[in-house]
Amino acid sequence: MRNVILAVLAVLVLAGAAVGLTRWLAPADGEAAATGEVAIGGPFRLVDQTGREVTDEEFRGRLMLVYFGYTFCPDVCPLGLTNIAEAIDRLPAEDREQVVPIFVTVDPARDTVEVMRDYVGAFSDRLIGLTGSEAAVQEAVRAYRVYASKADSETEGGDYLVDHSTFTYLMGRDGKYLAHFGHSTTPAEMAERIEAAIGAG
């Protein structure tokens, strides 16, 4: 039964990624399409794994690696977060402080502060886990053009899956989009792109 669920999840994730990519290409209401900038990113006000309120402004001056997912994700999110942690470990020690890895839940109903604290700690002590109210999370989801939708069916244990796009976003020191990585991107490739962004100032 688990194999069937995972197979279905894989199909849904691919579909979600396609939808998410389409949403990137279309500017949001009121945005100019002629600027040449990708309309990904924006303000957020969430709560980290220590219970402290955090806004996007706090990370200005540093690069952000932002990944959206949820702690009950069976395998896709663990892979994405492992890649992020390994990529940062590959950076020279002096550069690691210039990059902030951030995991934003798309399932705030289950991903409480306590759940996020235990979860992100399993990947890296540098990883910041963000949750919040449904409205606050949805604001961040919209700003980053993330696709996320609760699956209709439940697992045998009564849990549910959340279909979501699986890109990792590299955001600049000013909070603007620089690049994105799929799960096929290796930690070495990700680290190389981060290093280039750090070198660019």
Side-chain angles (χ1 to χ4, degrees):
M1 181 63 181
R2 175 175 169 80
N3 289 337
V4 173
I5 292 172
L6 293 179
V8 171
L9 176 63
V11 172
L12 291 175
V13 165
L14 289 175
V19 172
L21 184 58
T22 300
R23 292 175 64 180
W24 284 359
L25 300 178
D29 294 342
E31 292 176 343
T35 62
E37 295 183 358
V38 178
I40 296 175
F44 58 75
R45 185 177 297 274
L46 297 166
V47 180
D48 71 12
Q49 71 267 31
T50 70
R52 187 174 62 91
E53 186 176 78
V54 174
T55 73
D56 57 295
E57 293 290 337
E58 182 170 326
F59 306 112
R60 292 296 179 267
R62 292 178 288 173
L63 303 177
M64 295 189 296
L65 275 177
V66 186
Y67 185 88
F68 286 78
Y70 66 114
T71 66
F72 287 79
C73 186
D75 52 8
V76 176
C77 295
L79 174 60
L81 295 177
T82 297
N83 286 344
I84 289 172
E86 291 184 4
I88 291 180
D89 285 345
R90 287 175 172 269
L91 299 176
E94 64 272 17
D95 288 344
R96 291 175 196 156
E97 297 300 324
Q98 300 188 52
V99 185
V100 183
I102 299 172
F103 173 59
V104 184
T105 182
V106 295
D107 185 20
R110 291 185 294 182
D111 289 343
T112 63
V113 168
E114 293 76 15
V115 170
M116 293 292 277
R117 181 183 62 235
D118 293 341
Y119 189 76
V120 299
F123 294 95
S124 171
D125 57 5
R126 295 179 179 274
L127 182 61
I128 295 175
L130 297 181
T131 185
S133 67
E134 183 69 33
V137 168
Q138 285 304 312
E139 182 177 358
V141 164
R142 287 192 296 271
Y144 280 80
R145 300 294 192 269
V146 172
Y147 172 81
S149 179
K150 178 181 175 180
D152 293 333
S153 59
E154 295 185 348
T155 66
E156 288 180 333
D159 289 327
Y160 56 85
L161 301 174
V162 180
D163 172 29
H164 62 93
S165 48
T166 58
F167 297 110
T168 298
Y169 306 102
L170 177 62
M171 311 299 290
R173 301 178 191 277
D174 56 359
K176 294 184 179 180
Y177 169 89
L178 294 178
H180 68 275
F181 311 106
H183 277 197
S184 61
T185 304
T186 67
E189 292 168 337
M190 193 182 300
E192 183 178 356
R193 181 62 181 86
I194 294 169
E195 276 291 294
I198 291 174

